[in-house]
Amino acid sequence: MKHGYHHGNLRQALVDAALALIAERGPTGFTLSEAAKRADVTPAAVYRHFAGRDDLIAEVARQGYDIFAALMEFAYDDGKPTALAAFEATGRAYLAFARKYPGHYMAMFESGLSFNAHPDLALVAGKARAVLERAAEKLSDQMPPDRRPPATMFSAHVWAMSHGVVELYMRGAPGAKSPFTPEDLLEAGIGIYLRGLGLLPPDC
């Protein structure tokens, strides 16, 4: 008798199985049959819910973006206590998400999924980006209008910086590649960037 899931919850059981496999082997390191075995169901049962492995990984990524967007929104806290503190909090939230949800993170950013092929994924991913863009726009309001960088570019730079810290300094053995914590590296990088824009005085 199969016991890996309750009736009606097979779809989520497969997502959970895929999450575990992604965390262990990466998003391209397993087959649908292996996901079915991990969920304790027959391979044929998978196709009642997913057309193929990419569809299964896309659902893992979609759920990940939902969590990510909620975490970013919570960190931003409607721009409180200050625009600067809220902006920095979104960067730390990126690192926190990657650390706590490695399977989701890899499905979102390392699976090679096309947003064109999965428009629902593009929609939920946009929610997370919108939080960082809002934070960037609020912070840049302190600059004269003719000197403000576009919020989309501003936020993209910090997103890229956060992603780089995760990929270079959070994957593998902690502290193996840097004497500094990922959080310290990101904070310093954001500080240098914001000073370059004139949003922080040189001695901050």
Side-chain angles (χ1 to χ4, degrees):
M1 180 178 178
K2 297 295 182 183
H3 53 77
Y5 65 96
H6 296 292
H7 180 70
N9 199 32
L10 172 56
R11 184 179 177 85
Q12 189 58 43
L14 289 165
V15 169
D16 293 342
L19 267 172
L21 288 165
I22 290 169
E24 291 170 11
R25 309 179 192 176
T28 61
F30 69 97
T31 65
L32 272 180
S33 293
E34 288 172 320
K37 183 177 180 181
R38 184 69 64 100
D40 199 15
V41 299
T42 64
V46 179
Y47 291 98
R48 298 174 196 157
H49 298 275
F50 300 102
R53 190 182 64 176
D54 277 0
D55 277 356
L56 175 56
I57 294 173
E59 177 58 17
V60 173
R62 188 196 65 76
Q63 292 185 16
Y65 274 116
D66 265 337
I67 297 168
F68 184 47
L71 185 61
M72 294 285 278
E73 194 71 63
F74 179 82
Y76 179 57
D77 194 21
D78 202 26
K80 295 179 288 193
T82 66
L84 175 60
F87 183 80
E88 291 176 333
T90 61
R92 289 192 297 273
Y94 193 108
L95 302 189
F97 174 81
R99 183 178 282 118
K100 187 171 182 179
Y101 301 97
H104 288 101
Y105 177 89
M106 284 187 274
M108 291 156 59
F109 299 118
E110 298 176 10
S111 62
L113 291 174
S114 166
F115 281 173
N116 289 333
H118 303 279
D120 56 332
L121 195 57
L123 184 64
V124 70
K127 292 180 182 178
R129 284 196 302 271
V131 177
L132 191 53
E133 287 176 13
R134 199 160 71 247
E137 185 173 16
K138 187 73 173 177
L139 185 57
S140 62
D141 279 350
Q142 302 174 31
M143 301 177 69
D146 61 338
R147 291 185 52 211
R148 290 176 194 165
T152 51
M153 182 182 72
F154 187 171
S155 61
H157 287 165
V158 174
W159 186 302
M161 195 185 307
S162 303
H163 190 75
V165 168
V166 170
E167 291 298 324
L168 293 173
Y169 300 109
M170 281 180 62
R171 308 300 294 275
K177 299 179 181 178
S178 172
F180 308 104
T181 67
E183 288 76 12
D184 286 345
L185 286 168
L186 182 60
E187 182 179 351
I190 290 176
I192 292 167
Y193 180 76
L194 294 181
R195 287 186 193 97
L197 290 177
L199 283 165
L200 284 179
D203 59 346
C204 272

